């Protein structure tokens, strides 16, 4: 394989080089649907109206602290094609003396996002295709959404996610305000195509 082919498949990390994403702290996350498809519901009069798939996403997000005992959720919003949320790692499950050593990826923000995506995909797939036969029967009248999901399983979610390390109270307040007012700004939202 020549260098061109090697570089063709190499993805540059968007994470902060050398930062331990399993350490305690607050993180602002944005997780998007593949191709910015609006499959979670609609915005009406500045309010997000979740459909059944949007409720699955909200339930799985709210279930995160039940799965991982060192996680606390703060402000979040499910938008038609993405989720914004503040998540807090309340304590580092790794040995604090391991700074600089290998950190298990299963205890990091990346692992939390990966687990969340997998859980939502499983539940959405079970809703859309309950017997595993790709039957296109619609119980909720969203056949176009269901068809898109069936055609994109298991890649409902965009491959990566965006994170921002929240470093102080002012940063937290600014982000929380952004999250809570996001449905009001949907017409100007960069994810609204």
């Amino acid at each position: 394989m020549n260098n061109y082919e090697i570089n063709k498949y190499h993805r540059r990390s968007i994470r902060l080089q050398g930062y331990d994403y399993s350490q305690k702290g607050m993180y602002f996350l944005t997780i998007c649907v593949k191709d910015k498809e609006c499959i979670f519901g609609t915005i009406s009069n500045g309010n997000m109206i979740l459909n059944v798939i949007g409720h699955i996403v909200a339930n799985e997000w709210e279930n995160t602290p039940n799965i991982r005992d060192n996680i606390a959720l703060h402000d979040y919003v499910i938008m038609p094609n993405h989720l914004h949320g503040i998540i807090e790692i309340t304590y580092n499950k790794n040995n604090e003396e391991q700074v600089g050593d290998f950190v298990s990826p299963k205890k990091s923000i990346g692992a939390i996002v990966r687990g969340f995506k997998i859980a939502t995909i499983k539940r959405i797939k079970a809703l859309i295709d309950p017997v595993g036969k790709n039957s296109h029967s619609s119980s909720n009248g969203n056949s176009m959404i269901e068809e898109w999901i069936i055609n994109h399983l298991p890649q409902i979610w965009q491959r990566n996610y965006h994170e921002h390390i929240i470093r102080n109270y002012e940063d937290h307040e600014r982000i929380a305000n952004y999250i809570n007012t996001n449905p009001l700004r949907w017409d100007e939202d960069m994810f609204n195509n």
Side-chain angles (χ1 to χ4, degrees):
M1 203 182 248
N2 62 36
N3 279 343
Y4 174 76
E5 289 172 337
I6 291 170
N7 291 333
K8 178 179 175 182
Y9 300 104
H10 177 72
R11 290 181 37 213
R12 187 177 66 84
S13 175
I14 59 174
R15 305 292 157 243
L16 187 60
Q17 197 72 16
Y19 188 83
D20 177 3
Y21 284 94
S22 66
Q23 70 181 310
K24 66 182 182 176
M26 296 181 89
Y27 302 86
F28 170 47
L29 302 176
T30 300
I31 308 169
C32 297
V33 172
K34 183 179 170 94
D35 301 326
K36 297 181 186 175
E37 285 291 326
C38 294
I39 63 171
F40 300 149
T42 60
I43 301 288
S44 177
N45 298 321
N47 294 305
M48 179 61 194
I49 311 300
L50 296 174
N51 61 22
V52 66
I53 296 167
H55 281 290
I56 288 172
V57 171
N59 292 152
E60 287 303 325
W61 185 253
E62 291 170 359
N63 193 41
T64 302
N66 298 329
I67 297 167
R68 300 173 190 271
D69 63 352
N70 67 328
I71 300 299
L73 297 181
H74 294 267
D75 301 82
Y76 79 92
V77 64
I78 310 291
M79 296 293 287
N81 59 8
H82 65 283
L83 172 149
H84 289 303
I86 297 174
I87 193 165
E88 179 180 7
I89 297 180
T90 56
Y91 66 92
N92 188 340
K93 290 183 105 170
N94 295 313
N95 182 342
E96 296 287 345
E97 296 171 6
Q98 286 183 312
V99 175
D101 289 346
F102 174 78
V103 174
S104 170
K106 67 182 180 182
K107 299 174 184 174
S108 67
I109 289 293
I112 294 164
V113 171
R114 190 169 35 260
F116 165 74
K117 286 180 176 182
I118 290 168
T120 56
I121 288 168
K122 284 181 180 176
R123 284 196 53 202
I124 292 168
K125 183 177 180 182
L127 172 77
I128 301 299
D129 191 14
V131 291
K133 303 236 189 267
N134 273 341
S135 61
H136 292 267
S137 62
S138 175
S139 59
N140 58 12
N142 292 324
S143 59
M144 285 179 52
I145 293 171
E146 290 178 4
E147 186 174 331
W148 185 90
I149 290 170
I150 289 168
N151 291 332
H152 288 82
L153 283 171
Q155 286 291 324
I156 294 170
W157 294 104
Q158 182 176 299
R159 190 170 183 183
N160 216 327
Y161 62 95
H162 174 77
E163 54 69 29
H164 168 81
I165 303 161
I166 299 175
R167 301 197 184 266
N168 56 45
Y169 177 79
E170 291 78 19
D171 198 22
H172 176 266
E173 289 300 300
R174 179 183 55 78
I175 292 168
N177 183 60
Y178 174 82
I179 289 170
N180 293 318
T181 60
N182 204 237
L184 295 170
R185 296 185 315 279
W186 177 241
D187 289 338
E188 297 89 39
D189 196 301
M190 64 187 260
F191 297 109
N192 182 4
N193 42 353

